[in-house]
Amino acid sequence: MKTRTLLITATTLLAFTGQANATEGGTGYFGLSFGQAKVKDFCDSALDSCDDTAFTGRIHGGVQLNGYTDIEFGYRYMDDVDASVSALGITAAAEANGHFADATLQFGIPGTGPFQVFAKAGAMYWLIDYNVSATNGLARISDSDKEDGVALRTGLGARYDINQDISLRADWDYLVDVGNDDIGETDIQVFSFGPEVRF
């Protein structure tokens, strides 16, 4: 049901974008970025080892609705975060990675020369793949599964125009309440940087 709702929302937004583009002559753009994600509270428990940061990459495309507002769609992949703990001769470990598809409105402040800053707010569909295992040195058991859902995203960004067609962009994204009762909810912060091309 959540997936169907997301698809209906995305289709509606695409239709709106197409109409806005036809009536206002909006400028389209696409880009990619790479950076680091940090999972909040992941390493707060007493663990032997823990890594709550991961490489992340995102591709995105959008259209400028007017001089101050863009609508953007993106896909992000977040690499593994992992943790382990040992007690009574047993070592337990867990790792997880994520996939995120988002739709976002961006509200820009008028640029001074080639520089512009913007705020953003939107929704995203998340899919978390995770694996848990336990070993006592003689035997090992493991299990993997996935969970998905819909959450909110917000953040800030800045864009610097190299020329009329190419920009460099830096983003801070805050992904809110990713997860559910089965795997726990957490917030994720992402810092990323990459090129953007207008057409």
Side-chain angles (χ1 to χ4, degrees):
M1 181 61 70
K2 290 181 178 179
T3 303
R4 180 181 299 174
T5 301
L6 182 69
L7 290 173
I8 292 171
T9 302
T11 302
T12 304
L13 289 171
L14 279 172
F16 172 73
T17 300
Q19 181 64 26
N21 194 27
T23 57
E24 307 232 358
T27 300
Y29 63 91
F30 68 90
L32 58 91
S33 60
F34 303 97
Q36 185 177 72
K38 182 177 177 63
V39 180
K40 184 180 178 182
D41 302 329
F42 186 73
C43 292
D44 285 357
S45 301
L47 301 168
D48 295 329
S49 69
C50 186
D51 185 2
D52 61 1
T53 61
F55 168 82
T56 181
R58 181 173 183 260
I59 57 174
H60 65 268
V63 68
Q64 187 179 44
L65 301 180
N66 53 50
Y68 308 99
T69 309
D70 300 344
I71 186 167
E72 181 174 293
F73 300 91
Y75 163 75
R76 177 183 303 283
Y77 172 73
M78 186 183 78
D79 204 3
D80 289 339
V81 292
D82 57 77
S84 65
V85 62
S86 297
L88 303 175
I90 299 174
T91 298
E95 62 181 22
N97 60 59
H99 306 264
F100 307 86
D102 61 77
T104 306
L105 283 173
Q106 298 184 158
F107 307 96
I109 299 172
T112 302
F115 187 75
Q116 184 188 36
V117 296
F118 52 89
K120 48 191 169 179
M124 62 183 180
Y125 168 77
W126 55 264
L127 174 68
I128 303 297
D129 292 313
Y130 64 93
N131 179 273
V132 293
S133 63
T135 180
N136 62 3
L138 299 175
R140 181 179 185 273
I141 58 172
S142 65
D143 187 30
S144 60
D145 205 345
K146 58 185 64 179
E147 299 287 343
D148 66 343
V150 176
L152 300 177
R153 69 189 305 268
T154 186
L156 299 171
R159 179 184 289 117
Y160 179 80
D161 296 335
I162 297 175
N163 56 41
Q164 186 175 350
D165 300 318
I166 301 174
S167 302
L168 292 177
R169 175 170 151 176
D171 289 271
W172 169 70
D173 291 301
Y174 197 76
L175 315 182
V176 184
D177 290 341
V178 177
N180 55 27
D181 292 340
D182 292 332
I183 59 175
E185 289 188 346
T186 187
D187 298 340
I188 302 173
Q189 291 193 73
V190 181
F191 295 92
S192 58
F193 180 81
E196 196 169 76
V197 177
R198 286 182 293 279
F199 55 88

